[in-house]
Structure formats: structure tokens, C-alpha cells
Amino acid sequence: MADERGIKVENQSGSETKEKKARDVLLVDKYNVEASEILASEGLGLPITEAVQLYEQLLSTFPTAAKYWKQYVEAHMIVNNDDAIKQIFSRCLFDCRQIALWRCYIRFIRKVNDKKGAEGQEETKKAFEFMLNYVGSDIASGPVWMEYITFLKSLPATNPQEESHRMTTIRKVYQKAIITPTHHVEQLWKDYENFENTVSRALAKGLVSEYQPKYNSARAVYRERKKYVDDVDWNMLAVPPSGSYKEEQQCMAWKRFLAFEKGNPQRIDSGSSNSRITLTYEQCLMYLYHYPDIWFDYATWHAKNGSIDLAIKVYQKALKALPDSEVLRYAYAELEESSGAIQPAKKVYESLLGDGVNASALAHIQFIRFLRRTEGVEAARKYFLDARKSPNCTYHVFVAYAMMAFCLDKDPKVAHNVFEAGLKRFMHEPGYVLEYADFLCRLNDDRNIRALFERALNSLPPEESVEVWKRFTQFEQTYGDLASMLKVEQRRKEALSRTGEDGSSAFESSLHDVVSRYSFMDLWPCSSKDLDYLARQEWLVKNINKKAEKSILLNGVGSLGAEKGSTGHPNNAKTSTTSAKVIYPDTSRMIIYDPRQKQGAALLPNTTVPGLPAASNSVIPAPAAPLAGGTGTTKALNDILKVLPPALVAFITHFPSVDGPSPDVDIVLSILLQSNVAPVQTAKLGNPHQQMSSAPAPSTSDLSGANKSRPNPGGVPFKSTRESHSGGKRKDMDRQHEDETLTQSRPLPRDLFKIRQMQKARGVTSSQTGSASGGGSAFSGELSGSTE
């Protein structure tokens, strides 16, 4: 067997060999589920001294695995090690809200207090109330309510006052239990009715009628709640997300369950509803322990409800579970800062920075911004001076502080000095040069911008200067005169000609350059077709000595518009080079989707091009095997044609090959009107394949049973037997035959709408239309037309 994380554990003979194999696997992947289950099973047969180390190892990896905690406790209960049991329960109860583990806790409490008399009974009662307060709303808590009620009934009562108090306590527990949607809610309701009738029949009627609607609501909510609970795998271990299908399904199942509980379907008070939601979150985190979005959602829910302290506790637990999650630390610091707790928020940021040596550039930037917000400009400046000495300080820190000084402090001089100081260290970084250039553009300092570009291009190697040249060219196109514009473009071509980044350098100039010069944002001096054409030509120029594939040339290589973003600035990606590497689909093999096509029908391949499925709107029954492109298509087509009626095969073979998503309607009508379609026996129901294969193919067809005639290719109409014996309508039918003969001898109009309008004007009814069907596929055509 193998678990989802991909490490296999062989089933070998001998428990020692199996355990050793599992331990070896856990050394490679400590979250291996199968190996952990093997060790847990081995622990059941070990003495307590050996089992302790095994369980501690498992629980350090899976601290929310309630089944392992339960096994650990029961191992100590066997040897009556009460002190160790109490210590274990103090470690796991609040993090593992599972009924089986908590029932084990109650069993231990009752065992300890059974011999203590009244004092022990009071301790047991408190333990039950403590348990029901935390897990009493669980859908599986029915047995706990029943056990508590049985315990209360067993308490002795020495006088009527104590008996009355006991009955009142039992009644309150019952009334809480019957409004909780659990698996045993119906049984609890029956027990409650019996209890009230036993105590007082006079009171029972009023109390039962009062709680009947509440019970009905709880029972209805239970049925809905059970659907969400059944989707959850309660035996799952908490492992880091690996993207497997099962993990994603469980994550979505828990989120649906949470959304259900947040909707408060039972319409109970906010306190009880919040208790249920809290329990659901706590149970969810037992299994999705390593999912930061669940922790964040839980803390945010507490914060929105005004429970900031509880939200802070959730973040603290989250950072204990996921100590490497920076995003949770930022969210935690944000919560503290938004609630006015500046010093706790500062401690969170300092925990991100650590000793400062290994702090990331992002941590430096965010801490500078925090200090600027909370302590002022001077504190931020002081920390920046220290941060820039850090070995992990990148150019991003300089850019962030300079822009903060420029935008927030309104001090362009300080920002300029920061950029200049950073330029000494990061001249080799094109990204820094571009950010500095943007800053100078905001200052409208064209003189220093040109100087910056010249300095950067002199120090950067040609292969890293592509984006800088592009920005320099764009700057001159926007702010320079024509001479400087042309000069920079020429220099760019010469500089990049050695790197192969600019294929147009083989020519003195290209129309692409003109398009680039005279475009603005998303406005272009040519049409989209021209842009596509120029893009293809540019690609051809760059690959002029290479053999281009047909599919790439047919589909194009991109668009000139890709070089510019929506704001008119060039993108950082090397569009022209990347687009040449893209593999485009072969559109000649695409099948056009027709929304009118029925389910279970397949598009008919074009018989004129063997091996390639062509677009067609003809619908035929889906074959037994799916159609496939390539060499199998012709064979599949032949198999289809064998099961079709001869008339439909004749129609298909005479169907013209057309280009485009659909054939010409007039051509289809023309073929329908001039084809001999054989009749199909529709009266008998049976195997459709037998019906298709046994259908005769005479030259006439009368499927509807109406008195009508059908034209043949020769233009002479055939009459049915029933029609030949009619008397009074002989002249009308002859006139109709003449019209049909005349129609066949003249060309059809090109407009289908006109055909129907003329037909309507001539008074032709729907009974004069014919249709033929075979094998579940139907086609029809109007039998009359206009001679105009």
C-alpha cells in the first residue's frame, strides 16, 4: 500500500520488520499517514514504558490526532497511572473536541470519584457540565446527554426539597438536549415525554406543547446538518496540504459545514449559535491544522463579533502550528495595530525580523512602514539607515523608503538622495534603474533621466539591458524630439543586435518602429489586422534563417499590442521572443460547436478529407466508439455508415464539402428536394439497429400517412394507391402536381424566408411537406417552392 504523499510502506511479515520499515519512512517524511498508522497499531501491544516514547513521537507530529491521544490515555489507564492521565488530558482536551476522547475523559473522572461519596458526585457533575459546555452541540453528543441524565437520576435524594431540585435539574438538561440537533434527538424527545408524564401529567401537557416546535426545528436542522457531517472524513490526520483531490474535497466539505453553521438555520440565540460555530472551527482545525486560511478565517470571525482577545488567541495558536507563515504574522500584527495595541504589534514585527541578519527585504520594508505609521518619520529613517547595512537588503528597500519619503513625507530631495545612494550599489539591477527613472519622470527631470539611462546602459551588459533600452526608447518617443527619438532607436538596434534580442536590427528600419512611435496607450495608428500582419512579419524576420512550422505561421505569433500594457508602458516580459516559442493549436482539426446539437449526437466528419474531422451541422446518432482524429477517424466513419439506412447514406455521400461552421441552407434544401429518400418503417418498435438495417429503399416515401406526392429527380410525381382512388379532388391534385413539376424544373430562390413567404401566399399547408427519418436522425425539407 501507498499513502497519498507518495512514500510506500511494504507489507512484510513480522511486526518488528514492519515497524522498522515504518520508522525509516517517517525519517524521510514525518507526515506519512500509513507509516504513522502502523506505529500507532504497534503501540497497542507495547508495555507503557515503550509506548510512551512512540506516542510522544506521533503526537509531536499530529498534535490534534484525537485517536492517538485516546490510545495514549487508555495505555496509562490500564496501569492506573492517574497522574499521567491528568497531564495528558490537560494537553489535549481543548485542542481535540472529539466526543470519543471526551467520553474517555468522563469515564476517567467517574472512575476517580466513584468512591468519594457526595463530594465525588459533585465533581462528576461538574465534569459533565464542563464537557457539555465544550462539545455538547456536537452532532454525536447524544449519548453524552443520555449518560448525564442517567447520572442525575441516580443521585440520591434524602428529602422532598432535594428531590424537587433533582427533577428540576433533569428537566433543564432534557430541554437543552431536545433542542440540540444530534443523532439521538428523537430518542431524547421520547424520553423527555415519558419523564414529564411520570413527574406530573398536569404539567406534562403544557411543557411538551411548549417544546414541541423547538424539537421539530432541531430535528429538521439535524437532517440538514447530517448531510454536511457525512461529507467529512473524521479519521483524517492533519498533514500539510499537498494539493491532492481528497484533501481539497475535505477542505471544501469543512467550509460548507462552517457556512451552514454560520447561517444559524435553527434561529437560536447568538450565544448558542456562536458556541456551535466555535466548536465547528475547533473541530475543523483538528484536521486542517496546517491550512493558514482556516486560521485566518477563524480569527477574523472572532474579530468581527467583537471578541478581539479570542482572535488574538487564535493567531497565537496559528503561529504555533505554522511558525514559518509570514502572512499570518502580518495579519496578527494588523489586528493588534487596528485595535490600538501598538507595542504587541511591534513585537510581532520584531519576531519577523529576528536578529536582523536573516530578515527578508519584505520584513524590513513592512517594519519601516509600521514605524512611519506609529512612531513617525524619524523612527522610520533611523531604522532604514540600519536596515541598509543588512546583508539581505535588496534594492527594494531603497525604492520603498525613497517612495515613502516622496509620497508621504513630501520630500523629493530625500527621495532623490536615497535613489542616488542606492544606485551606487544596484547599478547592475535593471529593475532599480527603471524605478529610479519613473521617479525622475514624476519630477519632470528629463535631463537627469537621460543621464541615468546613459549611466545604466554603459554599465549593464547587453543581454540585461533590453528593458532599459525599451524604456529609454519609450521616453524619447514621449518627451523627445524626432532627431533624439530616431537616434535612440538606432542605438538600441545596434546595441541589441549582438544579443539576438532585436531581430529587426538586420534592417535599417521597419514599420513596427513607426507604429511604436505613433501609438499612445491603447490607441494604434493601424487596424488590428495590420497589427497581426506586422507581428507575423516581425517573427519571420527574427527567424529568417530558421525553418518555421506551418502551424505557427498559420496562427500568427502574437500581437504588437502585447509589447505594451494597458497603460502604454512596455511590459517586462520579452514578448517577441516568448511568442515564437508558443505552440499553437492546429485549427484545421477543430470541430465547430453547435449549441443546437442534441445530447448524444456526434458531428459528422467530412468524408472528402480522410483522417480529419471537419465542421458540419449534420447530426447523426453517436457511434458505439467515440470519434477520434487521425487514422482512426476513417474507420469509425465507415462503421457509422454501415448502421445507417441506405437513404441516409446516399444523402451523406452527396453532401458537398463546405468550409465554415455551417453549410449553406439553400444547398441543403436543394439536396433534400432532389434526393430519393427511402421510407423507414416507424410503426414497429424494436431494436433501432435492426430497424435501420431492415428498412427498404423504394423511390417513394409516405411517413405521415397524408394524401400527398413526392417528387423524384426526373420531375414526375408518383401517386400513392389511396390517392389514385380519390375522385372529387382529382383536379386539385393534378394542379398541385403540375406546380411541383414546374418547381423542380426551375432554380430555387436563395432565400429560405422568401420560399416560405411565397409558399404561404400560395396557400400551401403543412400537409404538403415531407420528412424522412432513420436511425434517430431526422432531416426535412419543404416540397414546394416559388418559380419567381
Side-chain angles (χ1 to χ4, degrees), residues 570-585:
N571 297 327
N572 291 334
K574 301 176 182 178
T575 0
S576 55
T577 305
T578 306
S579 55
K581 300 178 182 178
V582 175
I583 300 176
Y584 292 89

PDB file of all heavy atoms in Angstrom, residues 570-585:
ATOM      1  N   PRO A 570       5.724  49.562 -21.734  1.00  0.00           N
ATOM      2  CA  PRO A 570       6.117  48.219 -22.157  1.00  0.00           C
ATOM      3  C   PRO A 570       6.162  47.273 -20.986  1.00  0.00           C
ATOM      4  O   PRO A 570       6.540  47.646 -19.891  1.00  0.00           O
ATOM      5  CB  PRO A 570       7.487  48.415 -22.781  1.00  0.00           C
ATOM      6  CG  PRO A 570       7.898  49.796 -22.521  1.00  0.00           C
ATOM      7  CD  PRO A 570       6.757  50.558 -21.925  1.00  0.00           C
ATOM      8  N   ASN A 571       5.752  46.030 -21.234  1.00  0.00           N
ATOM      9  CA  ASN A 571       5.817  45.011 -20.203  1.00  0.00           C
ATOM     10  C   ASN A 571       7.259  44.542 -20.030  1.00  0.00           C
ATOM     11  O   ASN A 571       8.094  44.676 -20.916  1.00  0.00           O
ATOM     12  CB  ASN A 571       4.932  43.814 -20.562  1.00  0.00           C
ATOM     13  CG  ASN A 571       3.479  44.219 -20.637  1.00  0.00           C
ATOM     14  OD1 ASN A 571       3.047  45.105 -19.908  1.00  0.00           O
ATOM     15  ND2 ASN A 571       2.733  43.585 -21.518  1.00  0.00           N
ATOM     16  N   ASN A 572       7.530  43.961 -18.861  1.00  0.00           N
ATOM     17  CA  ASN A 572       8.872  43.456 -18.604  1.00  0.00           C
ATOM     18  C   ASN A 572       9.174  42.178 -19.369  1.00  0.00           C
ATOM     19  O   ASN A 572      10.310  41.823 -19.594  1.00  0.00           O
ATOM     20  CB  ASN A 572       9.049  43.200 -17.100  1.00  0.00           C
ATOM     21  CG  ASN A 572       9.069  44.492 -16.320  1.00  0.00           C
ATOM     22  OD1 ASN A 572       9.430  45.538 -16.865  1.00  0.00           O
ATOM     23  ND2 ASN A 572       8.661  44.455 -15.059  1.00  0.00           N
ATOM     24  N   ALA A 573       8.105  41.437 -19.728  1.00  0.00           N
ATOM     25  CA  ALA A 573       8.327  40.169 -20.427  1.00  0.00           C
ATOM     26  C   ALA A 573       8.839  40.421 -21.821  1.00  0.00           C
ATOM     27  O   ALA A 573       8.504  41.399 -22.467  1.00  0.00           O
ATOM     28  CB  ALA A 573       7.033  39.363 -20.468  1.00  0.00           C
ATOM     29  N   LYS A 574       9.652  39.488 -22.321  1.00  0.00           N
ATOM     30  CA  LYS A 574      10.170  39.588 -23.675  1.00  0.00           C
ATOM     31  C   LYS A 574       9.154  38.967 -24.610  1.00  0.00           C
ATOM     32  O   LYS A 574       9.189  37.800 -24.924  1.00  0.00           O
ATOM     33  CB  LYS A 574      11.515  38.871 -23.769  1.00  0.00           C
ATOM     34  CG  LYS A 574      12.559  39.450 -22.807  1.00  0.00           C
ATOM     35  CD  LYS A 574      13.837  38.643 -22.855  1.00  0.00           C
ATOM     36  CE  LYS A 574      14.869  39.177 -21.873  1.00  0.00           C
ATOM     37  NZ  LYS A 574      16.095  38.404 -21.860  1.00  0.00           N
ATOM     38  N   THR A 575       8.195  39.843 -25.020  1.00  0.00           N
ATOM     39  CA  THR A 575       7.046  39.315 -25.748  1.00  0.00           C
ATOM     40  C   THR A 575       7.411  38.709 -27.072  1.00  0.00           C
ATOM     41  O   THR A 575       6.964  37.644 -27.438  1.00  0.00           O
ATOM     42  CB  THR A 575       6.056  40.459 -26.004  1.00  0.00           C
ATOM     43  OG1 THR A 575       6.569  41.646 -25.448  1.00  0.00           O
ATOM     44  CG2 THR A 575       4.717  40.159 -25.417  1.00  0.00           C
ATOM     45  N   SER A 576       8.248  39.409 -27.815  1.00  0.00           N
ATOM     46  CA  SER A 576       8.533  38.931 -29.161  1.00  0.00           C
ATOM     47  C   SER A 576       9.262  37.598 -29.137  1.00  0.00           C
ATOM     48  O   SER A 576       9.033  36.730 -29.956  1.00  0.00           O
ATOM     49  CB  SER A 576       9.371  39.981 -29.902  1.00  0.00           C
ATOM     50  OG  SER A 576      10.536  40.278 -29.165  1.00  0.00           O
ATOM     51  N   THR A 577      10.162  37.419 -28.161  1.00  0.00           N
ATOM     52  CA  THR A 577      10.902  36.165 -28.091  1.00  0.00           C
ATOM     53  C   THR A 577      10.024  35.039 -27.574  1.00  0.00           C
ATOM     54  O   THR A 577      10.067  33.928 -28.071  1.00  0.00           O
ATOM     55  CB  THR A 577      12.114  36.341 -27.163  1.00  0.00           C
ATOM     56  OG1 THR A 577      12.879  37.432 -27.639  1.00  0.00           O
ATOM     57  CG2 THR A 577      12.950  35.089 -27.139  1.00  0.00           C
ATOM     58  N   THR A 578       9.182  35.359 -26.576  1.00  0.00           N
ATOM     59  CA  THR A 578       8.355  34.321 -25.972  1.00  0.00           C
ATOM     60  C   THR A 578       7.316  33.810 -26.943  1.00  0.00           C
ATOM     61  O   THR A 578       7.050  32.628 -27.019  1.00  0.00           O
ATOM     62  CB  THR A 578       7.675  34.888 -24.723  1.00  0.00           C
ATOM     63  OG1 THR A 578       8.677  35.427 -23.880  1.00  0.00           O
ATOM     64  CG2 THR A 578       6.897  33.804 -23.985  1.00  0.00           C
ATOM     65  N   SER A 579       6.710  34.748 -27.713  1.00  0.00           N
ATOM     66  CA  SER A 579       5.639  34.327 -28.591  1.00  0.00           C
ATOM     67  C   SER A 579       6.124  33.346 -29.646  1.00  0.00           C
ATOM     68  O   SER A 579       5.369  32.533 -30.140  1.00  0.00           O
ATOM     69  CB  SER A 579       5.006  35.553 -29.255  1.00  0.00           C
ATOM     70  OG  SER A 579       5.999  36.312 -29.913  1.00  0.00           O
ATOM     71  N   ALA A 580       7.405  33.426 -30.014  1.00  0.00           N
ATOM     72  CA  ALA A 580       7.917  32.486 -31.011  1.00  0.00           C
ATOM     73  C   ALA A 580       8.013  31.068 -30.462  1.00  0.00           C
ATOM     74  O   ALA A 580       8.036  30.114 -31.217  1.00  0.00           O
ATOM     75  CB  ALA A 580       9.283  32.946 -31.483  1.00  0.00           C
ATOM     76  N   LYS A 581       8.044  30.932 -29.136  1.00  0.00           N
ATOM     77  CA  LYS A 581       8.180  29.614 -28.542  1.00  0.00           C
ATOM     78  C   LYS A 581       6.836  28.981 -28.222  1.00  0.00           C
ATOM     79  O   LYS A 581       6.783  27.854 -27.791  1.00  0.00           O
ATOM     80  CB  LYS A 581       9.006  29.711 -27.255  1.00  0.00           C
ATOM     81  CG  LYS A 581      10.420  30.260 -27.470  1.00  0.00           C
ATOM     82  CD  LYS A 581      11.159  30.387 -26.153  1.00  0.00           C
ATOM     83  CE  LYS A 581      12.550  30.970 -26.361  1.00  0.00           C
ATOM     84  NZ  LYS A 581      13.273  31.150 -25.088  1.00  0.00           N
ATOM     85  N   VAL A 582       5.742  29.725 -28.397  1.00  0.00           N
ATOM     86  CA  VAL A 582       4.425  29.201 -28.066  1.00  0.00           C
ATOM     87  C   VAL A 582       3.978  28.209 -29.127  1.00  0.00           C
ATOM     88  O   VAL A 582       4.119  28.455 -30.320  1.00  0.00           O
ATOM     89  CB  VAL A 582       3.399  30.355 -27.968  1.00  0.00           C
ATOM     90  CG1 VAL A 582       2.008  29.802 -27.745  1.00  0.00           C
ATOM     91  CG2 VAL A 582       3.795  31.281 -26.842  1.00  0.00           C
ATOM     92  N   ILE A 583       3.452  27.075 -28.710  1.00  0.00           N
ATOM     93  CA  ILE A 583       2.911  26.072 -29.629  1.00  0.00           C
ATOM     94  C   ILE A 583       1.421  26.314 -29.753  1.00  0.00           C
ATOM     95  O   ILE A 583       0.684  26.199 -28.775  1.00  0.00           O
ATOM     96  CB  ILE A 583       3.196  24.651 -29.106  1.00  0.00           C
ATOM     97  CG1 ILE A 583       4.708  24.431 -28.975  1.00  0.00           C
ATOM     98  CG2 ILE A 583       2.572  23.609 -30.020  1.00  0.00           C
ATOM     99  CD1 ILE A 583       5.069  23.097 -28.386  1.00  0.00           C
ATOM    100  N   TYR A 584       0.981  26.655 -30.940  1.00  0.00           N
ATOM    101  CA  TYR A 584      -0.422  26.981 -31.165  1.00  0.00           C
ATOM    102  C   TYR A 584      -1.197  25.749 -31.599  1.00  0.00           C
ATOM    103  O   TYR A 584      -0.648  24.827 -32.206  1.00  0.00           O
ATOM    104  CB  TYR A 584      -0.544  28.064 -32.249  1.00  0.00           C
ATOM    105  CG  TYR A 584      -0.004  29.397 -31.811  1.00  0.00           C
ATOM    106  CD1 TYR A 584       1.334  29.722 -32.009  1.00  0.00           C
ATOM    107  CD2 TYR A 584      -0.827  30.316 -31.176  1.00  0.00           C
ATOM    108  CE1 TYR A 584       1.845  30.933 -31.593  1.00  0.00           C
ATOM    109  CE2 TYR A 584      -0.329  31.534 -30.763  1.00  0.00           C
ATOM    110  CZ  TYR A 584       0.996  31.847 -30.972  1.00  0.00           C
ATOM    111  OH  TYR A 584       1.479  33.048 -30.559  1.00  0.00           O
ATOM    112  N   PRO A 585      -2.500  25.703 -31.312  1.00  0.00           N
ATOM    113  CA  PRO A 585      -3.308  24.542 -31.739  1.00  0.00           C
ATOM    114  C   PRO A 585      -3.506  24.532 -33.244  1.00  0.00           C
ATOM    115  O   PRO A 585      -3.463  25.566 -33.904  1.00  0.00           O
ATOM    116  CB  PRO A 585      -4.633  24.770 -31.005  1.00  0.00           C
ATOM    117  CG  PRO A 585      -4.691  26.245 -30.776  1.00  0.00           C
ATOM    118  CD  PRO A 585      -3.278  26.677 -30.558  1.00  0.00           C
TER     119      PRO A 585
END
